[in-house]
């Protein structure tokens, strides 16, 4: 079998395959025999028709079927011989089969490209690293959230107030106040004072009790057009927050001995959350900077495959409630960026001989068990799966790659005060 491989660019390939009759003679004869078993000719049993008679009557059909059934076989052999792994389905063309002579064809396909990395220099990438400066208000707000999560819900009998929840039915009405059939929203929870149930609507929702009825105007649809509704109160509920004392701390955080220690632990948790946010931001900036510098070419088939997997995952998590075309449009640039990073990372791992040893994986698992002593058995069971251990290796390799690239980054420290973030949020 003669194989000619043409490299059109970093990822496009054309494979020319030519097989002489001496190499396909046996395959063709076997195929002819199988073909004879499927047909009936008077005077002959199935499979016992002489080859000459069979070819005289059915040679074009036999040849056509042989070609159709043999292209993939010889294509696969050619790929194995050249140790090539395509990333898409090959496009077959230029098929030429001549009985007792040869079998030729061409296949165009794409492969994963090998990325040529530039020589990185010091300060090649500019990165901003944020230091978030907290204050007591951050701690107060976080503790208030904990209190909200531990609040009691009580039914209110004496009329609704701001921040109460009203369980109601909303019936859309026309300009004359007549209910519009088919436009009723049943058993909705609304919070008094929260948009769009504030301002004039908020005033109308005060002092309401079960079976009370008021008319409000709220936005509807994508264009948010103001629409009139009759609101029928079913029930009024109020969140009663627990007192902020040591008894509350015992419920909210048993590891804290008193309110003072609870505040310190909450502050620590907030800081850790911000540190994680900073780490993610630095990583994203670094990846984006490297991608922009290298800007690797990639086959569209790989990008399409990445995108299809992303869309499938998003659609399954949202139970098909999203428009698939909008999801594809949103995730297309993300898929392409992810693919570029995959190719660059793979090239760096090869170039720098980055690897993960078995003891590094074991150390990671050991640290997990130290952090969660009550879950040792579950952790051992989880990481017995090869796929989960592979995930550890991938994460550790990612860290080593990022650590290497950080050597070429110029990192600028920037202080951000959380009070300024709150002020901006309030303005919006």
């Amino acid at each position: 079998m003669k194989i000619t491989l043409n490299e059109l660019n970093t990822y496009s390939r054309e494979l020319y395959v030519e097989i002489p009759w001496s190499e396909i003679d046996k395959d063709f004869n076997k195929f002819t025999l199988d073909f004879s078993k499927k047909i009936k000719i008077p005077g002959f049993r199935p499979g016992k028709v002489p080859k000459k008679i069979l070819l005289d009557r059915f040679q074009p059909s036999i040849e056509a079927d042989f070609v159709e059934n043999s292209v993939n076989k010889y294509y696969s052999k050619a790929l194995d011989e050249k140790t090539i792994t395509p990333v898409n389905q090959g496009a077959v063309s230029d098929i030429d089969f001549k009985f007792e002579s040869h079998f030729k064809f061409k296949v165009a396909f794409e492969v994963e490209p090998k990325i040529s990395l530039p020589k990185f220099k010091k300060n090649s990438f500019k990165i901003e690293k944020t230091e978030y400066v907290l204050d007591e208000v951050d701690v107060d707000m976080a503790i208030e959230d904990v209190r909200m999560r531990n609040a009691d819900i009580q039914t209110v009998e004496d009329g609704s107030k701001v921040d109460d929840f009203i369980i109601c039915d909303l019936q859309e009405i026309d300009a004359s106040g007549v209910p519009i059939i088919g436009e009723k929203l049943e058993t909705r929870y609304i919070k008094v004072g929260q948009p769009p149930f504030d301002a004039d609507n908020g005033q109308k929702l005060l002092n309401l009790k079960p079976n009370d009825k008021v008319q409000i105007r709220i936005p509807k649809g994508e264009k948010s057009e103001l629409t009139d509704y009759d609101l029928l109160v079913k029930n009024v509920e109020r969140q009663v927050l627990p007192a902020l004392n040591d008894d509350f701390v015992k419920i909210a955080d048993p590891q804290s001995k008193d309110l003072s220690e609870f505040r310190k632990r909450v502050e620590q948790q907030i800081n850790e959350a911000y540190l994680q946010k900073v780490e993610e931001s630095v990583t994203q900036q670094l990846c984006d900077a490297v991608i922009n510098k290298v800007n690797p070419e990639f086959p569209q088939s790989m990008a399409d495959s990445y995108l299809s997997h992303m869309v499938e995952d998003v659609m399954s998590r949202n139970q098909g409630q999203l428009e698939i075309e909008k999801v594809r449009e949103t995730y297309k640039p993300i898929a392409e960026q992810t693919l570029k990073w995959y190719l660059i990372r793979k090239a760096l791992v090869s170039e720098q001989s980055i690897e993960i040893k078995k003891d590094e994986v074991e150390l990671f698992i050991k640290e997990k068990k130290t952090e969660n002593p009550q879950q040792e058995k579950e952790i051992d069971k989880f990481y017995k799966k090869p796929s989960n251990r592979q995930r550890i290796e991938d994460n550790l390799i990612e860290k080593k790659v990022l650590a290497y690239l950080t050597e070429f980054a110029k990192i600028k420290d920037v202080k951000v005060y959380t009070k300024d973030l709150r002020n901006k949020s309030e303005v919006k």
Side-chain angles (χ1 to χ4, degrees):
M1 182 165 63
K2 182 181 177 183
I3 305 168
T4 304
L5 179 65
N6 290 338
E7 298 186 3
L8 306 182
N9 54 37
T10 57
Y11 53 82
S12 296
R13 302 287 184 270
E14 283 185 345
L15 198 67
Y16 292 86
V17 180
E18 182 176 355
I19 311 122
W21 183 255
S22 59
E23 291 185 29
I24 60 174
D25 185 14
K26 288 183 179 179
D27 284 349
F28 187 82
N29 286 334
K30 184 180 182 301
F31 191 85
T32 303
L33 179 61
D34 291 339
F35 185 90
S36 71
K37 294 176 182 178
K38 301 174 185 177
I39 62 169
K40 293 181 180 180
I41 297 180
F44 298 98
R45 287 181 296 161
K48 299 297 181 179
V49 181
K51 183 177 178 182
K52 186 177 185 311
I53 295 175
L54 199 66
L55 292 178
D56 285 344
R57 295 193 182 188
F58 301 105
Q59 184 171 336
S61 296
I62 293 172
E63 289 180 353
D65 287 355
F66 174 75
V67 167
E68 183 179 348
N69 285 274
S70 300
V71 166
N72 282 337
K73 175 183 175 179
Y74 293 111
Y75 173 44
S76 296
K77 280 187 176 181
L79 292 175
D80 289 341
E81 190 170 318
K82 291 291 185 179
T83 61
I84 300 172
T85 304
V87 296
N88 68 331
Q89 186 173 353
V92 182
S93 62
D94 299 353
I95 296 175
D96 180 16
F97 177 83
K98 289 185 179 178
F99 180 64
E100 295 184 336
S101 177
H102 64 254
F103 181 20
K104 300 177 183 179
F105 61 88
K106 179 179 78 173
V107 187
F109 58 93
E110 295 175 333
V111 297
E112 185 176 299
K114 290 183 179 179
I115 303 303
S116 178
L117 296 172
K119 187 174 181 180
F120 298 126
K121 298 178 181 179
K122 190 176 181 180
N123 298 332
S124 291
F125 315 115
K126 294 181 180 180
I127 308 295
E128 283 194 357
K129 185 177 181 180
T130 304
E131 177 192 349
Y132 289 95
V133 183
L134 309 183
D135 56 27
E136 289 299 309
V137 177
D138 293 301
V139 181
D140 292 338
M141 290 173 66
I143 291 175
E144 194 66 13
D145 285 341
V146 178
R147 290 179 71 200
M148 294 285 284
R149 291 197 297 271
N150 287 274
D152 286 331
I153 305 297
Q154 297 180 357
T155 297
V156 175
E157 303 290 349
D158 59 349
S160 56
K161 297 180 181 178
V162 174
D163 291 334
D164 283 349
F165 289 91
I166 294 177
I167 299 90
C168 61
D169 290 341
L170 292 168
Q171 172 63 64
E172 185 178 344
I173 56 177
D174 62 19
S176 61
V178 175
I180 300 175
I181 296 174
E183 296 296 332
K184 185 176 183 180
L185 306 173
E186 295 187 352
T187 315
R188 301 294 160 142
Y189 278 71
I190 66 173
K191 189 174 184 179
V192 181
Q194 187 178 73
F197 305 103
D198 56 352
D200 291 341
N201 284 333
Q203 290 297 316
K204 293 179 181 179
L205 296 176
L206 295 177
N207 302 313
L208 296 182
K209 299 176 183 178
N211 298 319
D212 283 349
K213 193 174 185 180
V214 294
Q215 184 177 316
I216 60 171
R217 175 171 286 189
I218 55 177
K220 179 189 178 183
E222 293 183 1
K223 296 182 179 180
S224 296
E225 294 179 352
L226 289 177
T227 306
D228 291 323
Y229 286 87
D230 277 339
L231 182 150
L232 175 64
V233 180
K234 288 187 170 182
N235 200 12
V236 180
E237 295 179 349
R238 183 172 298 160
Q239 283 185 313
V240 180
L241 301 182
L244 190 55
N245 53 32
D246 291 347
D247 290 335
F248 164 71
V249 171
K250 290 177 184 178
I251 298 172
D253 184 15
Q255 295 184 42
S256 298
K257 63 182 180 181
D258 55 29
L259 187 57
S260 176
E261 185 176 340
F262 178 56
R263 287 188 66 86
K264 290 178 182 177
R265 281 175 56 80
V266 169
E267 183 176 1
Q268 181 183 351
Q269 290 168 3
I270 298 172
N271 270 314
E272 288 173 355
Y274 273 119
L275 287 173
Q276 183 177 348
K277 181 178 180 181
V278 170
E279 184 179 345
E280 291 172 356
S281 173
V282 169
T283 297
Q284 190 62 57
Q285 290 180 68
L286 184 58
C287 290
D288 289 344
V290 175
I291 289 169
N292 288 338
K293 187 172 183 65
V294 179
N295 194 25
E297 290 185 325
F298 57 85
Q300 190 58 46
S301 58
M302 285 188 75
D304 291 342
S305 178
Y306 264 66
L307 179 58
S308 294
H309 282 98
M310 283 186 173
V311 171
E312 184 179 335
D313 181 56
V314 171
M315 295 300 290
S316 64
R317 284 190 282 109
N318 290 274
Q319 298 179 345
Q321 295 178 355
L322 303 176
E323 291 184 31
I324 190 167
E325 289 307 318
K326 286 187 177 180
V327 174
R328 289 187 68 85
E329 184 181 346
T330 300
Y331 280 86
K332 183 179 179 181
I334 300 173
E336 292 180 354
Q337 197 80 339
T338 302
L339 174 56
K340 288 180 180 180
W341 173 246
Y342 161 78
L343 295 170
I344 292 170
R345 194 186 86 157
K346 189 172 183 178
L348 282 168
V349 168
S350 175
E351 182 185 90
Q352 299 301 315
S353 300
I354 297 173
E355 60 180 357
I356 301 299
K357 297 178 180 178
K358 184 179 179 180
D359 59 350
E360 292 179 84
V361 175
E362 296 302 331
L363 179 60
F364 177 90
I365 296 172
K366 184 179 179 181
E367 289 174 352
K368 280 285 183 184
K369 291 193 286 188
T370 302
E371 294 170 6
N372 305 277
Q374 297 88 1
Q375 300 179 341
E376 279 195 28
K377 289 183 179 180
E378 290 84 352
I379 291 172
D380 280 332
K381 183 179 179 181
F382 181 78
Y383 287 117
K384 275 184 180 178
K385 283 188 176 181
S387 58
N388 293 331
R389 294 181 72 89
Q390 183 61 50
R391 198 173 294 130
I392 296 175
E393 290 188 27
D394 290 342
N395 290 337
L396 293 175
I397 283 177
E398 182 92 355
K399 286 183 179 180
K400 287 189 177 184
V401 169
L402 292 170
Y404 169 75
L405 291 172
T406 302
E407 297 174 12
F408 307 100
K410 183 179 182 180
I411 300 176
K412 178 183 177 182
D413 293 322
V414 178
K415 276 192 177 183
V416 173
Y417 293 87
T418 54
K419 65 178 180 181
D420 294 333
L421 295 178
R422 290 196 303 271
N423 290 338
K424 288 181 182 178
S425 177
E426 289 173 3
V427 169
K428 289 181 181 179

